[in-house]
Amino acid sequence: MRASKLYAPTLREVPAEAEIISHQLMLRAGMLRKVAAGIYTYLPLSWRTMKKIMDIIREEMDAIDGQELMMPAALPAELWQQSGRWQVYGDELWRLKDRHGRDFCLGPTHEECITYHFKNDFRSYKQLPQRLYQIQTKFRDERRPRFGLMRGREFVMKDMYSFDLDEDGLNKSYQAAYDAYHRIFSRCGLRFRPVEADPGAIGGNGSHEFMALADTGECEVLFCNQCDYAANIEFVSREPEKAAMEESKPLEKVATPGAKTVEDVAQFLGVDRKQVIKTLCYQADEELVLVLVRGDRQINEVKLQNALGCFTLAMVNDDVLQEKGYFRGSMGPVGSKGIRMVADLEVPYLSNAVCGANESGYHYIHVNPERDFKADIVADIRLVEAGEQCPHCNGHLESKRGIEVGQVFKLYTKYSQSMEAYYTDETGEEKLAVMGCYGIGVGRTMAAVIEQSHDENGIIWPMTIAPYHVVIIPVNDKEEILMRTAEELYDKFQKAGIETVFDDRKERPGVKFKDADLIGYPLKITIGKKGLERGVVELKRRDSEVMTEVPLSEIVAYVKAIVQKELIK
Ligand code: ATP
Ligand code: MG
């Protein structure tokens, strides 16, 4: 490719709208342009990288017997009604109507569609297992599209679905996908870790997220400093801390003027924060619920949502609270009627505790669960935090941030059941297919690589997914001999199968060097007059400061060897 023709409008300034480095660099390197919030055009450079990531994914999916197919983006509502997700998916589902007024959506994921095909086209145990995948544009009307390709409303995803005879088969498919994901992300040059993840309503130990480690990641991951335990903070559970029971004292209401927070109340009454029952009010679907945790704990909303089995969950604002006779800072379970209460597992272990009296400026002391109130649901709903003990050993949990680039998931029979996807086993009995699903965000993976691999001058691509392998820069476009040599080298590289950009623009060398660093070509060849007189060109790797002089006669073989070695890695 000649740089004079390359559609890569580089920018010197950092665009104001881009908060994180990968987004800034993709805009600055002329790789990406925004069309609407969370909706982008991949310009040629980023699309080349996207295609390379997709090629790696294809190779690894095919290697585990995946068959590529392509499902439609426009999906009829009926499929989603059968699975029940038309109602529960919420505002993220991009809904539309056709000219006859029939409901459709743009697929955010394709469990329904693939299960529909399985149901219609597969009959016998002899045809199983099946591992079917596609690489396709997905639509999710995200509440907060941001960070460029990290959280788009339209994005490219690889999604694979497995259909097995039984749980054993599912475990094998799951492990195969898990191992393939290892290879995919390694080949993309990412530093990542698979971590245990929330399997949502399905339960069980059935999901891992692949987290690229980066400070800008939206996820928090807890790692053990001694064993290999690692999990999304949303999913970490520990045994409840069992406080020693004291003898119950009589319930008493006391004035706590001005004390609003747990901290204030504990200080005012001279008790530990652990003795306070923190009470919050949430709207869960149509219903209000009171949520109780120990005063030194935080609520884990993912666990809370699972415990309630609701589709939407949000803290209520002060107006709604007052309407119901509650006041922020003095809410409590004692005497609360007509409202469901969910308590964390640690709450029943409290004795002579403190809680709000549902009267501004008053709290109860000597509150004893069971005697003074009864929670409707007692479940693990608290957030486990960094610094706590590991759930598996005596080590301690440390926190890091991660970007979820992929997730693998055991679905069991959730969709085969709701959509009636059966096969016939050896004895002629109809059985539900046992399913798994496996997703990778292609654009998010590309962005994650940039988050991890850049410097102050620009991107540093690994060879495997670099848009081009090499850039050739003649330092003076007016010197006939330099331009001719560059032209000849460009030709030889192309013939050798090395993906090359020849910077033939009539620009100062400084501009060309800046653009080369910004775009992040792994190898840069500089052709200067003095070098040529000695029969050498300069070779510099983007990931090192070292400059090597290579004889012109050897440069093609030299570069080819580097490229080939790094592509195999
Ligand atoms: P998140 O929790 O970040 O919203 P998710 O868990 O809903 O993601 P999955 O349904 O597991 O996402 O989708 C599979 C993969 O698709 C994710 O691991 C991620 O890499 C990618 N992905 C999901 N949502 C987006 C998005 N809005 N923009 C870009 N990539 C996305
Ligand atoms: Mg996910």
Side-chain angles (χ1 to χ4, degrees):
M1 184 71 216
R2 286 168 196 278
S4 58
K5 298 288 179 318
L6 180 65
Y7 178 18
T10 52
L11 309 171
R12 289 286 161 254
E13 303 295 319
V14 178
E17 83 248 34
E19 293 169 72
I20 61 168
I21 195 80
S22 57
H23 189 197
Q24 292 171 1
L25 286 175
M26 273 191 270
L27 293 173
R28 284 191 51 213
M31 300 180 79
L32 192 72
R33 287 296 179 260
K34 181 167 134 184
V35 177
I39 297 181
Y40 293 88
T41 294
Y42 306 86
L43 299 190
L45 288 175
S46 68
W47 191 244
R48 287 181 71 93
T49 292
M50 291 285 282
K51 284 194 290 186
K52 290 187 179 188
I53 298 173
M54 292 188 255
D55 286 346
I56 292 174
I57 293 174
R58 284 197 175 94
E59 281 176 27
E60 297 296 346
M61 292 292 103
D62 293 350
I64 58 165
D65 293 334
Q67 297 177 65
E68 187 171 358
L69 45 67
M70 187 68 165
M71 290 181 267
L75 299 166
E78 291 78 57
L79 289 183
W80 288 71
Q81 279 152 355
Q82 279 169 36
S83 72
R85 284 208 292 185
W86 185 256
Q87 281 74 25
V88 308
Y89 212 97
D91 292 339
E92 241 180 59
L93 190 62
W94 205 312
R95 296 161 209 258
L96 59 154
K97 284 190 192 292
D98 71 5
R99 63 170 71 207
H100 308 291
R102 285 186 289 248
D103 286 317
F104 279 78
C105 68
L106 298 175
T109 171
H110 280 70
E111 284 81 5
E112 282 79 358
C113 191
I114 198 77
T115 311
Y116 162 80
H117 292 308
F118 182 89
K119 173 188 161 84
N120 291 332
D121 292 327
F122 291 90
R123 296 272 173 278
S124 159
Y125 70 96
K126 290 180 196 151
Q127 297 167 293
L128 268 56
Q130 285 288 330
R131 295 172 186 168
L132 307 170
Y133 77 95
Q134 63 175 348
I135 300 179
Q136 194 220 26
T137 300
K138 296 279 189 276
F139 296 85
R140 293 185 185 180
D141 198 359
E142 298 270 358
R143 191 163 50 93
R144 284 191 67 199
R146 58 187 186 148
F147 298 158
L149 296 184
M150 291 283 186
R151 187 167 295 285
R153 296 197 295 164
E154 174 180 324
F155 58 96
V156 178
M157 194 206 283
K158 184 286 299 181
D159 41 331
M160 179 164 89
Y161 305 90
S162 62
F163 294 85
D164 278 281
L165 300 173
D166 51 24
E167 197 175 330
D168 248 16
L170 168 61
N171 290 338
K172 289 198 183 92
S173 290
Y174 186 87
Q175 191 62 42
Y178 183 99
D179 294 342
Y181 276 31
H182 253 276
R183 294 190 294 272
I184 290 166
F185 294 123
S186 304
R187 289 177 64 183
C188 291
L190 271 182
R191 287 189 306 283
F192 66 94
R193 267 201 79 163
V195 308
E196 292 178 18
D198 176 38
I202 296 160
N205 263 339
S207 185
H208 286 88
E209 287 163 335
F210 284 74
M211 293 285 186
L213 304 173
D215 292 341
T216 45
E218 287 187 281
C219 303
E220 187 173 350
V221 176
L222 295 184
F223 296 82
C224 178
N225 64 358
Q226 283 181 24
C227 72
D228 60 6
Y229 177 77
N232 189 318
I233 192 167
E234 294 170 347
F235 187 59
V236 184
S237 284
R238 290 188 53 221
E239 285 287 302
E241 207 172 277
K242 296 168 186 162
M245 285 289 173
E246 293 172 15
E247 199 177 315
S248 311
K249 296 182 188 159
L251 184 70
E252 219 179 292
K253 188 171 5 175
V254 295
T256 48
K260 287 257 178 279
T261 64
V262 167
E263 191 66 59
D264 297 343
V265 173
Q267 208 166 27
F268 185 88
L269 296 172
V271 299
D272 197 295
R273 280 188 310 153
K274 288 182 180 181
Q275 278 298 103
V276 180
I277 301 173
K278 191 195 279 186
T279 309
L280 298 158
C281 187
Y282 277 86
Q283 170 110 30
D285 296 335
E286 303 303 308
E287 179 195 7
L288 290 189
V289 288
L290 280 192
V291 181
L292 318 174
V293 283
R294 230 169 62 176
D296 58 331
R297 306 297 199 196
Q298 307 294 327
I299 287 167
N300 176 330
E301 292 186 353
V302 172
K303 290 185 187 174
L304 177 59
Q305 190 162 354
N306 290 342
L308 285 165
C310 59
F311 305 122
T312 62
L313 184 74
M315 272 239 243
V316 297
N317 62 32
D318 286 357
D319 293 345
V320 178
L321 280 185
Q322 270 169 22
E323 224 172 85
K324 298 282 167 192
Y326 289 112
F327 303 92
R328 195 173 300 285
S330 63
M331 272 188 280
V334 178
S336 284
K337 291 217 167 55
I339 186 162
R340 278 212 297 164
M341 284 189 242
V342 191
D344 179 61
L345 295 175
E346 288 176 339
V347 171
Y349 289 102
L350 296 175
S351 43
N352 298 321
V354 173
C355 73
N358 296 326
E359 196 177 327
S360 188
Y362 286 89
H363 279 76
Y364 283 117
I365 58 171
H366 308 152
V367 179
N368 288 284
E370 281 303 308
R371 185 192 70 182
D372 300 322
F373 69 90
K374 192 156 172 32
D376 301 275
I377 300 175
V378 178
D380 174 16
I381 54 165
R382 81 165 179 99
L383 195 70
V384 173
E385 292 177 90
E388 291 192 46
Q389 196 185 323
C390 168
H392 293 182
C393 77
N394 283 330
H396 281 89
L397 295 172
E398 288 173 10
S399 159
K400 279 197 184 147
R401 300 213 68 89
I403 300 164
E404 182 205 317
V405 284
Q407 185 163 15
V408 290
F409 215 106
K410 292 182 189 171
L411 296 170
Y412 298 94
T413 54
K414 181 179 157 88
Y415 293 90
S416 44
Q417 188 145 38
S418 57
M419 301 190 67
E420 301 174 353
Y422 292 93
Y423 68 89
T424 313
D425 76 3
E426 281 165 293
T427 65
E429 198 187 326
E430 298 249 287
K431 289 220 168 113
L432 289 172
V434 182
M435 293 174 59
C437 73
Y438 317 90
I440 291 181
V442 181
R444 197 184 276 185
T445 299
M446 173 167 70
V449 171
I450 300 174
E451 284 297 320
Q452 288 186 350
S453 185
H454 66 268
D455 63 13
E456 64 283 5
N457 299 319
I459 302 169
I460 305 175
W461 288 114
M463 194 67 79
T464 48
I465 61 167
Y468 289 91
H469 303 139
V470 183
V471 60
I472 299 174
I473 302 180
V475 291
N476 186 344
D477 61 73
K478 295 189 187 65
E479 293 271 1
E480 165 72 29
I481 174 81
L482 299 192
M483 294 305 276
R484 192 156 25 88
T485 309
E487 188 83 45
E488 283 166 14
L489 262 194
Y490 173 52
D491 193 47
K492 286 184 183 153
F493 277 171
Q494 306 251 84
K495 292 200 170 109
I498 300 163
E499 298 171 19
T500 310
V501 169
F502 167 26
D503 199 340
D504 61 340
R505 293 176 301 168
K506 298 201 180 326
E507 291 282 1
R508 284 176 290 115
V511 171
K512 297 183 181 183
F513 291 144
K514 274 212 164 64
D515 280 352
D517 280 354
L518 185 55
I519 291 168
Y521 306 104
L523 300 172
K524 178 173 76 188
I525 292 167
T526 309
I527 306 177
K529 200 164 178 205
K530 289 210 182 91
L532 264 198
E533 281 164 9
R534 289 185 291 118
V536 297
V537 293
E538 282 176 354
L539 176 70
K540 189 181 165 297
R541 296 179 62 98
R542 179 66 181 85
D543 62 4
S544 142
E545 288 312 312
V546 183
M547 188 89 86
T548 318
E549 289 195 337
V550 182
L552 186 59
S553 56
E554 290 169 24
I555 188 72
V556 178
Y558 196 94
V559 166
K560 192 169 178 182
I562 296 175
V563 171
Q564 279 180 341
K565 181 161 165 257
E566 293 187 22
L567 287 182
I568 295 164
K569 255 202 307 209

